[in-house]
Amino acid sequence: MMIQSISINEKTLTIDWQSGSDSTFHYIWLRDNCQSPKSLHPNGQRLLQTVDIPADIHPSSVQVIKEQSLEIVWADGHQSSYSADWLYNHVYDMPLSGSNNEMQIQLWNCSVDINSLTFDYPEIISKERTLYDWLVAFCQYGVAFLKNVPTQLGAVENIVDQFGYIHETNFGRISDVKIVTNATNLTYTNDYLSPHTDNPYRDPAPTLMLLHCLSSDVEGGDSIIVDGFQVAEKLRQKNPKYFKLLASIPVNFCFSDPNVEISAEKTIIQVNWRDELTAVCFHNESLQPLRMDAELMGSFYDAYRTFFEMIMDVNNQVQFKLQPGQVYMVDNRRVLHGRTAFFNTDKRHLQGCYAGIDGLYSKLAVLKRHIIGT
Ligand code: FE2
């Protein structure tokens, strides 16, 4: 990008780009983002303490060099240089550029084709490109599958090793999902589990959940997944008042057994300052008696029931039987999972674990450097 001209204002300067658009930058922002070695370590970390910049910082001279860089001498004598490309890429009053378009969220319902989200495990181990494609698909859909995973105990941990780190909890590094006597958690029974996100009673809750099937010669025991973001967006359209109630009134989730007692308060729907969804926390089994102003309780239950009905609507669910050697991974902040009841109880054995999505995002960014070169 080339600089056509600049105009100096009281607290800002405006660049007219050769493309015809213009961008304004505050002096404080320019000084704070100085690219000189005094301000920025070669490792990219900031050396400059923002608090040390005079509040009334302004330039004593500004020059454009060959339409390609902006050179500023500040009133305190410090000199800064910015390339036109750097400035253009950091225009701050625009939405982030489309560099992450491949991670754009794709909402889905019962018609999603899970075969297109299923990748071959030996291939993701041996080919960076396949691992990259699997992680991209995961970021778009909040769920992805693997086939041909060895049916060995602990294999699920090797999958996490490909992209990140286990999130260990009181259930262990990995946990065996099979029947136990006197289970303190419904997961370890043969009962039906309605779609839920895991461990909302934890803060932070695990962001990734993986389930690996070792054996499943049973009647029933089908997995169910639901795109919580799709359902929440539908609720926002259908009844904004209900959406707002679930996004603003916190509820309490709790888990306890003889050794632990964990609880956390959070809203069932979570949004950021732009009102974009950031998480859905839904776990009917661990929801504690609701507490709120009495005049809100009736409406809150209406909202909760409506959201729950939408989660249970088969048009929003995908049901499948996980076969030995298959794995599915969900974004536990977005995709709910559950299972149907099952029988012949000793013949179903899954292993599950939690992991952190920060490691996954990091792996994806580094793979992108290798594969796409950005
Ligand atoms: Fe679960």
Side-chain angles (χ1 to χ4, degrees), residues 144-197:
F145 300 78
L146 289 173
K147 59 184 181 184
N148 300 321
V149 178
T151 50
Q152 289 162 1
L153 288 170
V156 70
E157 197 166 351
N158 301 334
I159 298 169
V160 174
D161 288 343
Q162 300 302 314
F163 62 79
Y165 308 96
I166 294 272
H167 178 152
E168 191 168 349
T169 71
N170 54 294
F171 301 121
R173 281 182 69 74
I174 58 177
S175 63
D176 285 289
V177 181
K178 57 181 184 182
I179 307 294
V180 296
T181 343
N182 300 323
T184 55
N185 189 326
L186 288 178
T187 304
Y188 309 123
T189 67
N190 61 338
D191 289 339
Y192 166 73
L193 295 177
S194 61
H196 59 277
T197 55

Side-chain angles (χ1 to χ4, degrees), residues 177 185 187 193-199 209 211 283 328 332 336-339 354:
V177 181
N185 189 326
T187 304
L193 295 177
S194 61
H196 59 277
T197 55
D198 265 6
N199 292 202
M209 192 279 305
L211 270 179
H283 195 210
Y328 77 92
N332 193 45
L336 290 72
H337 64 279
R339 67 145 193 257
Y354 300 120

Side-chain angles (χ1 to χ4, degrees), residues 23-146:
S23 312
T24 293
F25 297 92
H26 279 76
Y27 297 137
I28 182 67
W29 185 95
L30 285 165
R31 181 70 181 85
D32 195 33
N33 289 288
C34 175
Q35 302 291 293
S36 76
K38 271 190 188 167
S39 306
L40 203 62
H41 192 276
N43 68 12
Q45 294 198 304
R46 288 153 51 85
L47 296 167
L48 178 65
Q49 306 297 327
T50 305
V51 73
D52 292 339
I53 304 171
D56 63 347
I57 189 74
H58 59 280
S60 58
S61 77
V62 182
Q63 259 190 306
V64 176
I65 310 290
K66 294 182 179 169
E67 304 171 327
Q68 286 175 0
S69 75
L70 186 72
E71 310 285 325
I72 300 181
V73 180
W74 299 98
D76 62 3
H78 184 82
Q79 295 184 18
S80 302
S81 173
Y82 312 85
S83 76
D85 284 342
W86 187 90
L87 287 166
Y88 191 75
N89 288 333
H90 290 85
V91 170
Y92 53 73
D93 56 354
M94 297 268 287
L96 280 175
S97 73
S99 60
N100 281 329
N101 272 352
E102 75 274 15
M103 309 249 292
Q104 202 95 49
I105 283 178
Q106 306 289 327
L107 300 178
W108 49 268
N109 59 17
C110 64
S111 57
V112 68
D113 173 17
I114 62 174
N115 288 327
S116 68
L117 302 174
T118 304
F119 289 68
D120 184 54
Y121 181 60
E123 223 179 288
I124 72 154
I125 300 178
S126 58
K127 292 186 189 160
E128 276 200 333
R129 177 74 214 202
T130 310
L131 176 59
Y132 176 79
D133 290 342
W134 182 60
L135 297 178
V136 167
F138 175 79
C139 290
Q140 291 173 333
Y141 289 84
V143 61
F145 300 78
L146 289 173

